[in-house]
Amino acid sequence: MMTYSILVAGCGDIGAPVAQAWQQDGQQVFAMRRGGIEFPEGVTGITGDLRHHDVQVWPEVDLIYLILTPSGRSVEAYQQAYLEGAQALIRAYQGRKRLPFVIFVSSTSVYRDETQEIDEFTVAEPDSETAKVLLATEQLLHAHLPSLALRCTGIYGPGRYRLIEQVHAGNPWGENRWSNRTHRDDVVSALMLLGQQALSGATLPPMCIATDEEPAPLWQVRKYIAEQIGAPVLQHDVVAADQGKRIRGQLLASLGWQPTYSSYREGYRQLTAEYLAAKVRN
């Protein structure tokens, strides 16, 4: 079996299971995290803000996952996390004889927020300043290193209870828009598949979309959650949404990827059960 060296730059909720899966596959795995020293067993951990690592701290690797998290929702926080993080990575590797392939976790927020159907052939025209930073980061990486941007729809999964908590609290549902989401575990499986393809020498597109198979009206999702946790259904007539993006990915499917959680129902069925169990324990 061929052995590769892999770096997960951002070993958190998504990066940790990716690092663990590659380590269990027998690969040499390095991982970076901003704070803390907890890393998956067998993974070589590097702690500290990657923007400030000396060049020699960055290991020689074949594949890099860049999974960054801003400290807030401001443009400045996005620039510090994404653009400055990518710049640090480029400084570390662009002069080396062996250039690693970089998979950058991005977002479908790079598409204009208007009522439309979106896939990988839709031109990215971000209308928020933070989304412009994400697109600029994608373009910067493409200009300097072999790379791919995985544009994810709204990521939910273990411990991500924000929408459930809103429904449980009886908060107003607001406008009914189309919503799109991806379970955390499906993001991980997409990253693993793309990494395997990159290491095999396959020709990959500059970006692809990770999303489940069913865009859904937000009221419909909230209604399902309410029924699962016994919360009030605030809007009884769940009409079709007439605003928002409906996002479908084609390229990952063409590589053989299938989400385990094909719609919000599969994902929130499990997540609401975990939420209720945690409420009982607490």
Side-chain angles (χ1 to χ4, degrees), residues 16 83 244 274:
L83 269 179
E274 293 173 1

Side-chain angles (χ1 to χ4, degrees), residues 4-235:
Y4 298 99
S5 295
I6 296 156
L7 169 63
V8 178
C11 191
D13 181 42
I14 295 170
V18 170
Q20 185 174 43
W22 279 115
Q23 193 280 328
Q24 291 174 346
D25 189 53
Q27 309 304 326
Q28 182 182 28
V29 183
F30 302 88
M32 292 179 172
R33 58 180 301 174
R34 193 161 41 211
I37 56 173
E38 294 181 1
F39 294 91
E41 184 177 355
V43 171
T44 300
I46 304 167
T47 301
D49 190 328
L50 61 81
R51 295 176 300 163
H52 307 309
H53 287 322
D54 291 335
V55 170
Q56 60 267 25
V57 172
W58 296 80
E60 289 287 346
V61 292
D62 304 290
L63 173 67
I64 298 174
Y65 291 99
L66 192 58
I67 311 172
L68 303 171
T69 304
S71 60
R73 303 293 296 176
S74 68
V75 177
E76 292 76 13
Y78 269 60
Q79 289 172 336
Q80 290 169 0
Y82 293 109
L83 269 179
E84 293 181 19
Q87 288 165 349
L89 186 151
I90 290 165
R91 285 195 301 271
Y93 288 101
Q94 65 178 353
R96 302 192 188 191
K97 293 181 180 179
R98 180 176 53 154
L99 293 180
F101 190 91
V102 180
I103 299 176
F104 169 55
V105 175
S106 186
S107 165
T108 52
S109 65
V110 298
Y111 298 107
R112 186 172 294 280
D113 188 17
E114 62 185 29
T115 302
Q116 60 176 325
E117 294 198 7
I118 286 172
D119 61 19
E120 284 95 347
F121 300 99
T122 305
V123 177
E125 297 177 316
D127 46 17
S128 74
E129 294 304 311
T130 52
K132 289 176 184 177
V133 173
L134 285 170
L135 185 58
T137 304
E138 292 183 15
Q139 293 168 342
L140 181 67
L141 289 167
H142 291 327
H144 293 279
L145 294 168
S147 64
L148 176 149
L150 180 63
R151 296 173 178 169
C152 302
T153 54
I155 300 173
Y156 72 112
R160 297 177 185 236
Y161 297 136
R162 184 174 62 88
L163 186 58
I164 299 174
E165 289 170 341
Q166 290 175 352
V167 173
H168 188 257
N171 293 349
W173 284 12
E175 63 182 351
N176 190 24
R177 299 175 58 85
W178 285 101
S179 65
N180 308 267
R181 51 187 40 79
T182 322
H183 194 280
R184 189 279 312 268
D185 293 353
D186 289 326
V187 176
V188 171
S189 71
L191 290 170
M192 293 300 297
L193 174 63
L194 290 170
Q196 291 159 0
Q197 292 286 317
L199 292 174
S200 72
T203 301
L204 292 171
M207 63 80 197
C208 54
I209 290 172
T211 190
D212 70 18
E213 297 172 346
E214 188 179 330
L218 188 54
W219 283 8
Q220 185 174 307
V221 179
R222 291 181 184 272
K223 180 175 184 289
Y224 181 82
I225 292 172
E227 291 169 347
Q228 295 296 305
I229 65 175
V233 176
L234 301 187
Q235 268 81 10

Side-chain angles (χ1 to χ4, degrees), residues 235-274:
Q235 268 81 10
H236 292 275
D237 298 321
V238 183
V239 297
D242 59 1
Q243 298 180 63
K245 300 178 281 194
R246 297 182 300 285
I247 302 174
R248 297 188 184 279
Q250 301 180 40
L251 297 182
L252 272 176
S254 73
L255 295 174
W257 180 76
Q258 284 187 310
T260 299
Y261 301 90
S262 58
S263 79
Y264 68 90
R265 286 179 293 272
E266 288 80 10
Y268 277 112
R269 184 180 304 129
Q270 176 179 320
L271 200 57
T272 51
E274 293 173 1

